[in-house]
Amino acid sequence: MLARHWAVFWVCMGAVFLVTLDATLQPLALVSIGESFDASRPSTAWVLSAFSISLATFVVAAGRLADRTGRRQSFLVGLALYVLGSVGGWLAPELWVLVLCRSLQGAGAAFVMPASLGLILAVWPEDDQTRAITAWTAVGGVAGALAPTLGGLLIDIWGWRAAYGLSVVIGVPSFVAARALLTETERKVASRLPDFVGALMVAASLGLLTLSLVQGRTWGWTDSRIIVAFALAIVLVPLIRHRILGHPAPIVEPRLLKLRTYRRALFIAIAIPSFLFPYFVMMVQYLEQVWDYRPLRAGLALLPFPAAATLASVLAGRLSRRFDERTIAVAAMATTTVAVVWLRVVPGPEPAYWTAFFAPIVLGGIGGWGMGLPMINAIGARDLDNETYSLGMGVLSTARQVGALTGLAVAFGLLGNVPDAELFDRFQQIWTVLVVLSIMGVLVALSLPRRPALRR
């Protein structure tokens, strides 16, 4: 009979696998979605942006609510929201309905991800919890490795709706099993309700900023809609700050911002994903739109990326025992910079995968994803204790989503809705911007403090 802690592990991992798999294969579906709804490229960008906005908005509040109501209840609510969003996306008659459903999925993911690890550790033997955390991380890596091939195959055969159908097929049994097997964790009834008003203000600010960046080039930067959207996004910033300083359970704990190393980790958590995430998504768009790859072929072409990232993350963990995290982060960013420069200089409008595209796919997986992103958490955790760890990691997750969202908005804004004949030139502009951002990422990594023990 399967031990209880392993049963809980696999129930929670079903949801984690689902969220990670879906997030990774969505870029493969964008071209098919645009063709299905006859939508412009900036419009289809909201399929990714809506998820990121919702996840960034609610992940900290969801973590606080889970402490108050119990992680089982939080996990079930999140999984139910995710499945409902998947059903809606599967049946969506219009693009705006699909975008709304993606927002629902993002909110669900915000509840599922932090609660899942807490549920596992609550029943796992205390002397073996490192093994549980490693396995939890590995399942996400497996999902990322399967997504390009599995997602490309499904989309190629049944169209983009199959991606959402797959989420329903995995999500419903996961929800049923979770209700039957999971037990509630300790509730901190005395804890205050999280500031959902502040979270919604953050969502509004991010949405307006995304709108101005994505549509600015298409509508014109002097268009009244762009000016108003950008102005409102900026006006909301001091109001959000006021909520953070005045609410008893804010979306960002002010005391965290007083920690010097943690503040720098927040900055790098925004800066690095601002070019890493558009780097991956734009490679998919380039293969499908410039080289006319079908989704399955594009997925197979990208398969070395998660494979290299998974191997590099294991290597980064071992290297961190001998080298400072800053050194590893700098090396990771430099590797990714080489990959982005390669994309700017080598590939042409004619397909040449092995000579022009294979190298940056592998280098990007090794550098940014495999070694860079794990170091953000490692550096951010230096100043945190048991009381602030969960909240601090949640805020770092929000910062990563903000960085990714901003970078994607800029990239899709540059791509615009130009004729196919001009696509190659637009991608050249995107690669140029990502080169600049990646160099800034190297400089940001260099500014990080070393571990005190290694400095001595």
Side-chain angles (χ1 to χ4, degrees):
M1 184 177 178
L2 188 64
R4 171 162 176 74
H5 61 282
W6 277 112
V8 171
F9 175 84
W10 289 115
V11 167
C12 292
M13 283 301 94
V16 173
F17 181 88
L18 165 64
V19 172
T20 308
L21 181 74
D22 182 69
T24 309
L25 64 83
Q26 283 300 319
L28 289 167
L30 285 185
V31 174
S32 299
I33 290 171
E35 293 172 351
S36 176
F37 292 120
D38 193 23
S40 65
R41 295 184 186 93
S43 296
T44 57
W46 284 99
V47 174
L48 300 180
S49 299
F51 184 92
S52 294
I53 291 172
S54 193
L55 179 58
T57 298
F58 293 111
V59 68
V60 174
R64 286 187 179 274
L65 193 63
D67 288 338
R68 180 184 173 90
T69 62
R71 293 191 180 98
R72 176 183 182 273
Q73 181 172 322
S74 181
F75 182 86
L76 290 174
V77 168
L79 189 52
L81 289 175
Y82 201 93
V83 172
L84 286 174
S86 301
V87 172
W90 190 8
L91 304 174
E94 301 287 345
L95 181 62
W96 69 268
V97 177
L98 177 60
V99 170
L100 186 63
C101 292
R102 287 289 291 163
S103 298
L104 196 59
Q105 285 184 313
F111 280 84
V112 164
M113 296 302 283
S116 63
L117 185 57
L119 286 166
I120 293 169
L121 295 180
V123 298
W124 204 272
E126 291 187 8
D127 59 349
D128 195 29
Q129 292 197 345
T130 300
R131 183 183 180 191
I133 296 172
T134 303
W136 185 84
T137 305
V139 169
V142 171
L146 288 177
T149 304
L150 180 59
L153 179 63
L154 290 174
I155 295 166
D156 235 11
I157 297 175
W158 290 294
W160 63 268
R161 295 182 189 273
Y164 296 90
L166 178 64
S167 295
V168 176
V169 170
I170 298 176
V172 171
S174 296
F175 181 84
V176 173
R179 282 201 64 187
L181 291 173
L182 298 182
T183 55
E184 192 56 272
T185 56
E186 180 183 356
R187 302 178 183 182
K188 298 179 182 178
V189 180
S191 62
R192 295 183 179 272
L193 284 172
D195 183 16
F196 282 107
V197 173
L200 291 175
M201 291 169 65
V202 171
S205 180
L206 291 175
L208 290 166
L209 177 63
T210 302
L211 175 66
S212 60
L213 292 174
V214 170
Q215 299 292 159
R217 189 165 189 173
T218 302
W219 291 351
W221 293 107
T222 57
D223 187 282
S224 59
R225 294 169 292 180
I226 298 299
I227 295 174
V228 170
F230 188 76
L232 289 175
I234 299 301
V235 167
L236 282 169
V237 172
L239 298 178
I240 294 169
R241 180 178 180 274
H242 177 73
R243 295 287 304 186
I244 290 173
L245 295 176
H247 197 277
I251 53 175
V252 177
E253 189 67 51
R255 58 179 168 159
L256 291 176
L257 303 180
K258 297 178 182 179
L259 304 174
R260 179 170 173 265
T261 300
Y262 185 80
R263 283 202 311 271
R264 294 195 184 186
L266 276 180
F267 182 61
I268 197 172
I270 294 174
I272 291 178
S274 69
F275 72 88
L276 283 182
F277 282 80
Y279 170 82
F280 177 76
V281 173
M282 286 298 120
M283 283 198 299
V284 179
Q285 303 309 299
Y286 188 93
L287 289 172
E288 292 191 356
Q289 298 189 48
V290 177
W291 285 2
D292 291 324
Y293 275 28
R294 296 291 302 168
L296 176 58
R297 190 179 181 189
L300 290 172
L302 291 167
L303 191 57
F305 187 92
T310 301
L311 293 175
S313 65
V314 175
L315 177 62
R318 294 180 178 178
L319 289 175
S320 65
R321 300 171 187 170
R322 297 184 57 189
F323 300 98
D324 181 66
E325 292 96 340
R326 190 191 79 156
T327 302
I328 301 173
V330 170
M333 295 306 99
T335 302
T336 309
T337 300
V338 172
V340 180
V341 171
W342 183 299
L343 286 174
R344 175 61 181 85
V345 175
V346 178
E350 298 299 323
Y353 173 75
W354 291 107
T355 57
F357 226 79
F358 179 74
I361 287 175
V362 173
L363 290 175
I366 293 173
W369 258 262
M371 303 177 72
L373 291 179
M375 292 303 104
I376 295 176
N377 283 344
I379 293 168
R382 287 182 191 171
D383 288 344
L384 303 178
D385 53 28
N386 290 336
E387 184 181 349
T388 58
Y389 185 83
S390 295
L391 182 60
M393 290 296 103
V395 174
L396 277 177
S397 177
T398 297
R400 285 197 300 272
Q401 293 299 322
V402 170
L405 179 67
T406 305
L408 286 170
V410 170
F412 277 103
L414 289 171
L415 187 59
N417 199 35
V418 296
D420 291 349
E422 300 178 29
L423 276 175
F424 178 76
D425 292 333
R426 285 294 177 93
F427 274 103
Q428 291 293 90
Q429 295 174 25
I430 292 171
W431 303 140
T432 300
V433 170
L434 293 185
V435 167
V436 174
L437 291 175
S438 64
I439 293 173
M440 291 175 60
V442 175
L443 297 177
V444 169
L446 283 169
S447 72
L448 290 169
R450 293 182 182 275
R451 275 203 306 253
L454 291 187
R455 190 187 298 125
R456 289 195 298 271

